[in-house]
Amino acid sequence: ARRDAVIGTLVVVPVVVAAISPLIRYSGMSVCGPLPPARTWARDIALQIVGCDGLFYWIHRTLHHPVPYRPLHKKHHEFRATTIRASEHFGEVDFVLNVLPGVIPALLLGAHFAVLMAFTVIRQWQTVQSHSGYDLPFDPFNRGVFHGGARRHDFHHTHNNGCYSDFLPFWDWLCGTDRKYAEYWQMNRHRASY
């Protein structure tokens, strides 16, 4: 997994950034300009969470279809239980498909590059937290609609079924892809240590 993370960070990310740099310029994203006001940061990060979650849900759900699953996503599911090492255990194509939902909303918004980087830190924290195996009580993304992310993602890995969302359970709820999780949680909540 360390090798995958190093290759992803030092090779795949620079290649993706180079490939989308024309889009960065076209979107009007400011890379070196003055920082936007706090209100713009808050708005853009909130919209990036919503946009990333929608894109990630549909890409992730598609990757669980039998045709792309084996060649593209199965490697990530070599970890049957969630661990922090699993959070970055991807093949190259799966890595790119995991990164793009975090970048595309910022490009569409024309968000400042610093805002995109702040969102990237938030998303990386959420990814590590959801693969930690624990719903951390001090985590700000384990509150309200965000609650239970690690528990949901642990179910996703152990059952390889449903719970495809990233931040929010909205798309799983809307599409019914969390029904088996809800049934499982109802039957086993007395044994949970989350």
Side-chain angles (χ1 to χ4, degrees):
R2 274 189 228 136
R3 181 179 158 268
D4 297 331
V6 169
I7 290 171
T9 302
L10 299 179
V11 178
V12 178
V13 169
V15 168
V16 170
V17 169
I20 67 169
S21 64
L23 291 173
I24 291 172
R25 285 190 295 278
Y26 180 76
S27 75
M29 178 182 279
S30 176
V31 176
C32 298
L35 295 175
R39 169 178 77 233
T40 303
W41 283 70
R43 179 200 68 204
D44 287 356
I45 288 174
L47 290 172
Q48 286 176 77
I49 288 172
V50 171
C52 174
D53 200 61
L55 289 169
F56 183 84
Y57 173 86
W58 289 105
I59 290 170
H60 192 194
R61 185 174 176 179
T62 300
L63 288 172
H64 277 269
H65 184 277
V67 174
Y69 179 77
R70 186 172 299 279
L72 299 180
H73 193 59
K74 185 177 180 180
K75 182 175 186 171
H76 181 66
H77 282 273
E78 288 174 355
F79 286 88
R80 294 265 309 150
T82 52
T83 69
I84 292 173
R85 288 185 61 205
S87 69
E88 294 298 322
H89 188 67
F90 297 105
E92 289 77 12
V93 173
D94 198 10
F95 186 86
V96 170
L97 293 173
N98 189 50
V99 168
L100 287 177
V103 175
I104 291 171
L107 293 175
L108 293 174
L109 288 167
H112 194 285
F113 189 73
V115 177
L116 171 59
M117 291 298 94
F119 169 73
T120 301
V121 168
I122 292 167
R123 185 168 187 231
Q124 191 61 38
W125 168 261
Q126 186 276 336
T127 299
V128 168
Q129 190 276 332
S130 70
H131 283 86
S132 72
Y134 298 98
D135 280 326
L136 303 172
F138 57 83
D139 182 4
F141 290 102
N142 190 29
R143 300 281 179 263
V145 296
F146 298 104
H147 179 71
R151 184 173 49 227
R152 297 171 67 79
H153 205 69
D154 191 57
F155 178 86
H156 174 75
H157 272 264
T158 57
H159 292 78
N160 204 7
N161 188 301
C163 296
Y164 302 115
S165 292
D166 198 10
F167 281 94
L168 308 166
F170 173 76
W171 287 104
D172 283 308
W173 170 79
L174 184 68
C175 298
T177 50
D178 65 351
R179 279 193 201 115
K180 289 183 180 180
Y181 160 76
E183 291 167 7
Y184 176 82
W185 180 243
Q186 271 307 111
M187 289 183 350
N188 295 291
R189 67 185 316 155
H190 64 282
R191 290 190 285 169
S193 61
Y194 292 96

